[in-house]
């Protein structure tokens, strides 16, 4: 009888722990899709694909360089972004921004963003 109770207790602890882990992972990642026009600025092995994006269409000084570390296979097939001929060309890009939290060795939680190109087409 004691072994049955102990087994039920162990199983309940396992289920509750697994549920808590899945809930905590859900809270640490937020994804957002964005579609915008951008000018290709080049490719670097360390930084990835660089695009110049104008934040405010009415303000020419609102340009920002965004580095995309990942790209889908479909987007890679659509345009050869590793070619220097593409530098300076305008594209419509759809990308995904993933926000995630990481805890450093001192226990501080930092917020990071990663960018992934989902689709791309020339303008």
């Amino acid at each position: 009888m004691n072994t049955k109770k102990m087994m039920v207790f162990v199983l309940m602890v396992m289920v509750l722990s697994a549920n808590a882990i899945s809930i905590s992972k859900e809270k640490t990642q937020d994804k957002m899709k964005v579609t915008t026009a951008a000018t290709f600025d080049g490719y670097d092995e360390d930084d990835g694909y660089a695009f110049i994006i104008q934040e405010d269409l009415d303000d020419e000084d609102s340009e920002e360089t965004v580095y995309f570390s990942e790209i889908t296979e479909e987007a890679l097939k659509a345009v050869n972004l590793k070619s220097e001929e593409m530098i300076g060309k305008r594209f419509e890009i759809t990308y995904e921004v993933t926000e995630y939290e990481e805890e450093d060795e001192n226990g501080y939680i930092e917020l990071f963003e990663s960018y992934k190109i989902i689709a791309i087409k020339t303008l």
Side-chain angles (χ1 to χ4, degrees), residues 42-50 67-70 82:
Y43 172 76
D44 182 77
E45 258 185 55
D46 297 327
D47 295 327
Y49 305 91
Y67 295 94
F68 297 89
S69 56
E70 297 180 65
K82 292 186 180 179

Side-chain angles (χ1 to χ4, degrees), residues 65-106:
T65 302
V66 179
Y67 295 94
F68 297 89
S69 56
E70 297 180 65
I71 187 168
T72 62
E73 287 293 322
E74 295 82 27
L76 267 178
K77 290 178 184 175
V79 179
N80 181 10
L81 292 177
K82 292 186 180 179
S83 169
E84 290 192 20
E85 294 175 5
M86 296 293 139
I87 295 175
K89 304 251 187 215
R90 302 234 341 125
F91 297 95
E92 179 182 271
I93 57 173
T94 301
Y95 60 95
E96 185 176 80
V97 181
T98 303
E99 293 182 349
Y100 58 96
E101 297 175 348
E102 282 189 9
E103 187 174 338
D104 66 8
E105 63 275 356
N106 297 323

